Structures are given as structure tokens and as C-alpha cells.
Short mmCIF file of all heavy atoms in Angstrom, two decimals:
data_model
loop_
_atom_site.label_atom_id
_atom_site.label_comp_id
_atom_site.label_asym_id
_atom_site.label_seq_id
_atom_site.Cartn_x
_atom_site.Cartn_y
_atom_site.Cartn_z
N LYS A 1 0.82 -1.21 0.00
CA LYS A 1 0.00 0.00 0.01
C LYS A 1 0.83 1.26 -0.01
O LYS A 1 0.33 2.37 0.11
CB LYS A 1 -0.92 0.00 1.22
CG LYS A 1 -1.98 -1.10 1.23
CD LYS A 1 -2.90 -1.00 2.43
CE LYS A 1 -3.95 -2.08 2.36
NZ LYS A 1 -4.87 -1.99 3.56
N ASN A 2 2.17 1.09 -0.06
CA ASN A 2 3.08 2.24 -0.03
C ASN A 2 2.79 3.17 1.20
O ASN A 2 2.72 4.39 1.03
CB ASN A 2 3.00 3.02 -1.35
CG ASN A 2 3.72 2.37 -2.46
OD1 ASN A 2 4.76 1.76 -2.27
ND2 ASN A 2 3.15 2.38 -3.66
N THR A 3 2.59 2.56 2.31
CA THR A 3 2.16 3.32 3.50
C THR A 3 2.96 2.86 4.72
O THR A 3 3.18 1.67 4.88
CB THR A 3 0.67 3.19 3.75
OG1 THR A 3 -0.06 3.58 2.59
CG2 THR A 3 0.26 4.04 4.92
N VAL A 4 3.34 3.82 5.55
CA VAL A 4 3.95 3.57 6.82
C VAL A 4 3.05 4.12 7.91
O VAL A 4 2.44 5.15 7.72
CB VAL A 4 5.35 4.23 6.91
CG1 VAL A 4 6.00 4.01 8.28
CG2 VAL A 4 6.25 3.69 5.81
N TYR A 5 2.97 3.42 9.03
CA TYR A 5 2.07 3.81 10.09
C TYR A 5 2.84 4.06 11.39
O TYR A 5 3.92 3.56 11.59
CB TYR A 5 1.06 2.68 10.34
CG TYR A 5 0.28 2.24 9.11
CD1 TYR A 5 0.71 1.13 8.38
CD2 TYR A 5 -0.82 2.93 8.71
CE1 TYR A 5 -0.02 0.76 7.25
CE2 TYR A 5 -1.51 2.57 7.57
CZ TYR A 5 -1.08 1.46 6.85
OH TYR A 5 -1.81 1.08 5.71
N LEU A 6 2.19 4.84 12.24
CA LEU A 6 2.65 5.06 13.61
C LEU A 6 1.47 4.94 14.50
O LEU A 6 0.62 5.87 14.57
CB LEU A 6 3.38 6.37 13.79
CG LEU A 6 3.98 6.60 15.18
CD1 LEU A 6 5.18 5.62 15.38
CD2 LEU A 6 4.45 8.00 15.36
N GLN A 7 1.36 3.83 15.17
CA GLN A 7 0.28 3.62 16.16
C GLN A 7 0.75 4.21 17.51
O GLN A 7 1.77 3.81 18.04
CB GLN A 7 -0.04 2.14 16.33
CG GLN A 7 -1.09 1.85 17.42
CD GLN A 7 -2.45 2.38 17.01
OE1 GLN A 7 -2.94 2.13 15.92
NE2 GLN A 7 -3.08 3.06 17.94
N MET A 8 -0.02 5.15 18.01
CA MET A 8 0.38 5.84 19.26
C MET A 8 -0.68 5.51 20.34
O MET A 8 -1.83 5.94 20.17
CB MET A 8 0.47 7.34 19.00
CG MET A 8 1.38 7.72 17.85
SD MET A 8 1.63 9.48 17.66
CE MET A 8 -0.06 9.93 17.15
N ASN A 9 -0.25 4.83 21.33
CA ASN A 9 -1.16 4.48 22.45
C ASN A 9 -0.67 5.20 23.72
O ASN A 9 0.45 5.62 23.82
CB ASN A 9 -1.13 2.99 22.66
CG ASN A 9 -1.69 2.21 21.50
OD1 ASN A 9 -2.60 2.71 20.79
ND2 ASN A 9 -1.22 0.99 21.31
N ASN A 10 -1.62 5.29 24.67
CA ASN A 10 -1.28 5.88 25.97
C ASN A 10 -0.60 7.25 25.74
O ASN A 10 0.44 7.55 26.34
CB ASN A 10 -0.38 4.97 26.80
CG ASN A 10 -0.24 5.46 28.21
OD1 ASN A 10 -1.00 6.18 28.72
ND2 ASN A 10 0.83 4.99 28.89
N LEU A 11 -1.24 8.07 24.93
CA LEU A 11 -0.67 9.37 24.67
C LEU A 11 -0.53 10.24 25.92
O LEU A 11 -1.40 10.19 26.88
CB LEU A 11 -1.53 10.11 23.61
CG LEU A 11 -1.37 9.62 22.18
CD1 LEU A 11 -2.56 10.07 21.37
CD2 LEU A 11 -0.06 10.16 21.63
N LYS A 12 0.50 11.02 25.91
CA LYS A 12 0.79 11.94 27.06
C LYS A 12 0.81 13.38 26.48
O LYS A 12 1.13 13.58 25.32
CB LYS A 12 2.15 11.60 27.67
CG LYS A 12 2.25 10.18 28.17
CD LYS A 12 3.62 9.87 28.76
CE LYS A 12 3.72 8.45 29.27
NZ LYS A 12 5.07 8.21 29.80
N PRO A 13 0.58 14.36 27.29
CA PRO A 13 0.61 15.72 26.84
C PRO A 13 1.96 16.07 26.17
O PRO A 13 1.98 16.87 25.22
CB PRO A 13 0.39 16.57 28.13
CG PRO A 13 -0.43 15.67 28.97
CD PRO A 13 0.05 14.28 28.69
N GLU A 14 3.02 15.50 26.65
CA GLU A 14 4.35 15.77 26.09
C GLU A 14 4.56 15.16 24.70
O GLU A 14 5.56 15.42 24.03
CB GLU A 14 5.48 15.30 26.98
CG GLU A 14 5.36 13.88 27.51
CD GLU A 14 4.70 13.77 28.87
OE1 GLU A 14 3.73 14.49 29.10
OE2 GLU A 14 5.17 12.90 29.66
N ASP A 15 3.59 14.37 24.23
CA ASP A 15 3.59 13.89 22.84
C ASP A 15 3.03 14.90 21.87
O ASP A 15 3.15 14.67 20.64
CB ASP A 15 2.79 12.58 22.74
CG ASP A 15 3.36 11.45 23.52
OD1 ASP A 15 4.59 11.27 23.53
OD2 ASP A 15 2.58 10.70 24.16
N THR A 16 2.50 16.00 22.36
CA THR A 16 1.93 17.00 21.47
C THR A 16 3.07 17.64 20.61
O THR A 16 4.10 18.07 21.13
CB THR A 16 1.31 18.14 22.32
OG1 THR A 16 0.19 17.56 23.04
CG2 THR A 16 0.86 19.28 21.44
N ALA A 17 2.88 17.53 19.31
CA ALA A 17 3.89 17.99 18.39
C ALA A 17 3.38 17.85 16.96
O ALA A 17 2.33 17.24 16.70
CB ALA A 17 5.16 17.14 18.55
N VAL A 18 4.17 18.40 16.00
CA VAL A 18 3.89 18.13 14.62
C VAL A 18 4.79 16.88 14.29
O VAL A 18 5.96 16.86 14.60
CB VAL A 18 4.31 19.28 13.70
CG1 VAL A 18 4.10 18.94 12.24
CG2 VAL A 18 3.48 20.52 14.08
N TYR A 19 4.11 15.85 13.71
CA TYR A 19 4.80 14.63 13.38
C TYR A 19 5.12 14.58 11.90
O TYR A 19 4.20 14.81 11.03
CB TYR A 19 3.92 13.41 13.79
CG TYR A 19 3.95 13.20 15.25
CD1 TYR A 19 3.30 14.09 16.14
CD2 TYR A 19 4.63 12.11 15.81
CE1 TYR A 19 3.35 13.86 17.50
CE2 TYR A 19 4.67 11.89 17.18
CZ TYR A 19 4.06 12.77 18.02
OH TYR A 19 4.08 12.58 19.41
N TYR A 20 6.32 14.18 11.53
CA TYR A 20 6.81 14.12 10.19
C TYR A 20 7.25 12.71 9.86
O TYR A 20 7.91 12.06 10.67
CB TYR A 20 7.96 15.03 9.99
CG TYR A 20 7.75 16.48 10.31
CD1 TYR A 20 7.91 16.99 11.59
CD2 TYR A 20 7.36 17.38 9.30
CE1 TYR A 20 7.74 18.33 11.89
CE2 TYR A 20 7.12 18.68 9.57
CZ TYR A 20 7.32 19.15 10.88
OH TYR A 20 7.10 20.49 11.15
N CYS A 21 6.96 12.24 8.65
CA CYS A 21 7.56 11.00 8.19
C CYS A 21 8.67 11.34 7.19
O CYS A 21 8.65 12.42 6.61
CB CYS A 21 6.52 10.07 7.60
SG CYS A 21 5.93 10.52 5.97
N ALA A 22 9.62 10.44 7.11
CA ALA A 22 10.79 10.69 6.29
C ALA A 22 11.21 9.38 5.62
O ALA A 22 11.02 8.29 6.19
CB ALA A 22 11.92 11.23 7.10
N ALA A 23 11.83 9.50 4.48
CA ALA A 23 12.31 8.32 3.73
C ALA A 23 13.76 8.45 3.40
O ALA A 23 14.25 9.52 3.05
CB ALA A 23 11.50 8.20 2.39
N SER A 24 14.48 7.37 3.53
CA SER A 24 15.92 7.33 3.29
C SER A 24 16.26 6.32 2.21
O SER A 24 15.85 5.16 2.35
CB SER A 24 16.70 7.04 4.57
OG SER A 24 18.05 6.80 4.28
N SER A 25 17.06 6.71 1.23
CA SER A 25 17.50 5.78 0.21
C SER A 25 18.84 5.10 0.61
O SER A 25 19.33 4.25 -0.14
CB SER A 25 17.69 6.55 -1.11
OG SER A 25 18.71 7.55 -0.95
N ARG A 26 19.35 5.42 1.76
CA ARG A 26 20.67 4.88 2.20
C ARG A 26 20.50 3.54 2.84
O ARG A 26 20.92 3.33 4.00
CB ARG A 26 21.29 5.92 3.13
CG ARG A 26 21.69 7.20 2.43
CD ARG A 26 21.93 8.34 3.40
NE ARG A 26 22.43 9.57 2.76
CZ ARG A 26 21.72 10.38 2.09
NH1 ARG A 26 20.41 10.20 1.98
NH2 ARG A 26 22.24 11.46 1.52
N THR A 27 19.94 2.63 2.10
CA THR A 27 19.60 1.32 2.64
C THR A 27 20.83 0.45 2.87
O THR A 27 20.81 -0.48 3.71
CB THR A 27 18.64 0.54 1.68
OG1 THR A 27 19.26 0.50 0.42
CG2 THR A 27 17.35 1.30 1.56
N SER A 28 21.94 0.73 2.19
CA SER A 28 23.14 -0.12 2.35
C SER A 28 23.84 0.10 3.69
O SER A 28 24.55 -0.77 4.16
CB SER A 28 24.09 0.11 1.22
OG SER A 28 24.53 1.42 1.21
N TYR A 29 23.69 1.28 4.27
CA TYR A 29 24.38 1.56 5.52
C TYR A 29 23.57 2.32 6.54
O TYR A 29 24.02 2.59 7.66
CB TYR A 29 25.66 2.33 5.26
CG TYR A 29 25.44 3.72 4.65
CD1 TYR A 29 25.23 4.82 5.48
CD2 TYR A 29 25.40 3.89 3.28
CE1 TYR A 29 25.04 6.07 4.91
CE2 TYR A 29 25.18 5.17 2.75
CZ TYR A 29 25.01 6.28 3.56
OH TYR A 29 24.79 7.49 3.03
N GLY A 30 22.34 2.74 6.18
CA GLY A 30 21.59 3.60 7.06
C GLY A 30 20.85 2.95 8.22
O GLY A 30 20.42 3.63 9.14
N LEU A 31 20.74 1.64 8.17
CA LEU A 31 19.95 0.95 9.16
C LEU A 31 20.37 1.26 10.62
O LEU A 31 19.46 1.46 11.46
CB LEU A 31 19.90 -0.55 8.92
CG LEU A 31 18.90 -1.38 9.74
CD1 LEU A 31 17.50 -0.88 9.54
CD2 LEU A 31 19.01 -2.85 9.40
N PRO A 32 21.63 1.28 10.92
CA PRO A 32 22.03 1.57 12.35
C PRO A 32 21.77 3.05 12.69
O PRO A 32 21.93 3.41 13.86
CB PRO A 32 23.51 1.28 12.38
CG PRO A 32 23.78 0.41 11.19
CD PRO A 32 22.78 0.86 10.17
N TYR A 33 21.43 3.87 11.75
CA TYR A 33 21.30 5.29 11.96
C TYR A 33 19.89 5.82 11.72
O TYR A 33 19.68 6.97 11.34
CB TYR A 33 22.30 6.05 11.06
CG TYR A 33 23.72 5.52 11.16
CD1 TYR A 33 24.29 4.82 10.12
CD2 TYR A 33 24.43 5.62 12.34
CE1 TYR A 33 25.56 4.27 10.22
CE2 TYR A 33 25.74 5.14 12.48
CZ TYR A 33 26.25 4.44 11.41
OH TYR A 33 27.52 3.91 11.48
N LEU A 34 18.91 5.00 11.93
CA LEU A 34 17.52 5.40 11.72
C LEU A 34 17.13 6.63 12.53
O LEU A 34 16.22 7.36 12.16
CB LEU A 34 16.56 4.25 12.09
CG LEU A 34 16.58 3.07 11.13
CD1 LEU A 34 15.70 1.94 11.73
CD2 LEU A 34 16.03 3.45 9.73
N ASP A 35 17.87 6.90 13.61
CA ASP A 35 17.50 8.03 14.48
C ASP A 35 18.15 9.32 14.07
O ASP A 35 17.96 10.34 14.74
CB ASP A 35 17.83 7.68 15.96
CG ASP A 35 19.31 7.42 16.14
OD1 ASP A 35 19.99 7.03 15.14
OD2 ASP A 35 19.80 7.54 17.27
#
């Protein structure tokens, strides 16, 4: 479906924010650096 999801449970006031999704083409070395 070309879709990524973020299920958010037990939300807290400090979770209030603008949420962004992002895509990386650096698949050969990017996995340890997802953050």
C-alpha cells in the first residue's frame, strides 16, 4: 500500500507535536542510523 504507520497508544501531553515522516535511500548503511 506504499504506506507507513505510527500507532500511538497511551498518549501523554508531552507527545503534542507536529509529526513528520521521512524516507531514506541509504539502505546499504543507514539501518544503524535510523534516528
Side-chain angles (χ1 to χ4, degrees):
K1 295 183 178 180
N2 285 322
T3 303
V4 178
Y5 305 97
L6 185 67
Q7 177 68 49
M8 304 184 295
N9 297 330
N10 190 21
L11 283 162
K12 302 177 180 181
E14 51 264 41
D15 295 319
T16 295
V18 178
Y19 283 71
Y20 302 89
C21 73
S24 171
S25 61
R26 294 163 173 78
T27 56
S28 61
Y29 64 88
L31 191 58
Y33 309 111
L34 288 172
D35 59 338

